[in-house]
Amino acid sequence: MSTELLFRDDAYVKTATARVVAVHERGVELDRTVFYPQGGGQAGDTGVFVRANGERIAIADTRKGDALDSVLHVPAPGAPRPDSGEALTLEIDWDRRYSLMRLHTALHVMSCVVVAPVTGGNIAPDRARLDFDIDMSLLDAGKIEREVNALIARGAPTQTEWITDEELDARPELVKTMSVQPPRGTGRVRLLRIPGIDLQPCGGTHVANIGEIGAIRVLKIRSEGRRNKRVEIALGSRT
Ligand SMILES: [Zn+2]
């Protein structure tokens, strides 16, 4: 069954109350959630469910379920399972999620500095990467850092927009990421706009203003194959 995705309208919601609708082998489904399920290269959220009696159930990962917008919350090994119908308070590990949001948004900015088709990507709490179909000689770590950080310093807001599948089909130039097609199935696709910098389909969680990223540094650049030149970044400036 589908879950109301509270993070989709507001990525800053850290806690909510919810009711358990199903408990399976693979995880716990709720009527609503603040936990982002792994997708679009972004890691799934961790956190805790708090039961009415105060007992805490550690959530080690969050994954997509089979149905559209269904979310599976994966309890940590040995953690108790809640009961179907039980009311819970949800709390995500906010420091971890906020790092993911900052790094994720930084990748949007970087995708405008490195102008090449994106062939892969991943966002972990401590580092993120994009793979480009580009010649290695065109990737200069110092230049990428300077240009990304200069854009971040503009402090532009991020905006969410929705378009129909048909509108997206008519604007194929919006899809930069060849390996991850935008999520479809509801007839509409969510776009992230950073005015003057980036516009592309994305279902992930982003900071409200790119200034919140602070600064990034390039950890490494290496070839992972003919069409995968990998640029890996972390938060924080080089000192
Ligand atoms: Zn995004």
Side-chain angles (χ1 to χ4, degrees), residues 145 149 215-220 232-239:
E145 259 180 32
N149 287 334
I216 60 102
R217 60 187 195 278
V218 173
L219 295 177
K220 58 183 146 192
E232 191 171 59
I233 63 167
L235 295 171
S237 54
R238 189 173 300 282
T239 48

Side-chain angles (χ1 to χ4, degrees), residues 104 108 192 202-206:
H104 182 137
H108 281 269
L192 182 80
C202 190
T205 59
H206 309 95

Side-chain angles (χ1 to χ4, degrees), residues 108-150:
H108 281 269
V109 176
M110 187 168 76
S111 76
C112 297
V113 165
V114 181
V115 182
V118 175
T119 51
N122 192 67
I123 304 136
D126 63 336
R127 59 187 59 208
R129 63 174 168 81
L130 284 178
D131 295 350
F132 298 97
D133 186 357
I134 194 172
D135 194 285
M136 278 294 271
S137 65
L138 298 174
L139 295 172
D140 175 324
K143 183 165 179 283
I144 292 169
E145 259 180 32
R146 280 193 304 279
E147 293 183 4
V148 170
N149 287 334

Side-chain angles (χ1 to χ4, degrees), residues 170-232:
R171 300 179 65 188
E173 74 280 4
L174 288 177
V175 182
K176 292 181 186 174
T177 307
M178 300 158 74
S179 63
V180 184
Q181 281 297 310
R184 289 177 186 248
T186 57
R188 58 182 202 152
V189 174
R190 184 171 177 260
L191 301 179
L192 182 80
R193 180 189 292 276
I194 307 175
I197 298 177
D198 189 33
L199 175 65
Q200 62 178 295
C202 190
T205 59
H206 309 95
V207 290
N209 186 299
I210 63 172
E212 293 177 48
I213 300 166
I216 60 102
R217 60 187 195 278
V218 173
L219 295 177
K220 58 183 146 192
I221 295 177
R222 66 170 182 273
S223 177
E224 292 285 330
R226 198 167 56 84
R227 302 182 69 195
N228 293 71
K229 310 306 178 201
R230 179 164 297 175
V231 181
E232 191 171 59

Side-chain angles (χ1 to χ4, degrees), residues 52-85:
N53 67 4
E55 186 178 21
R56 296 169 74 84
I57 300 171
I59 300 301
D61 196 5
T62 310
R63 296 297 179 101
K64 286 182 178 161
D66 296 328
L68 188 69
D69 287 351
S70 80
V71 175
L72 296 169
H73 305 78
V74 184
R81 301 262 164 161
D83 301 316
S84 197

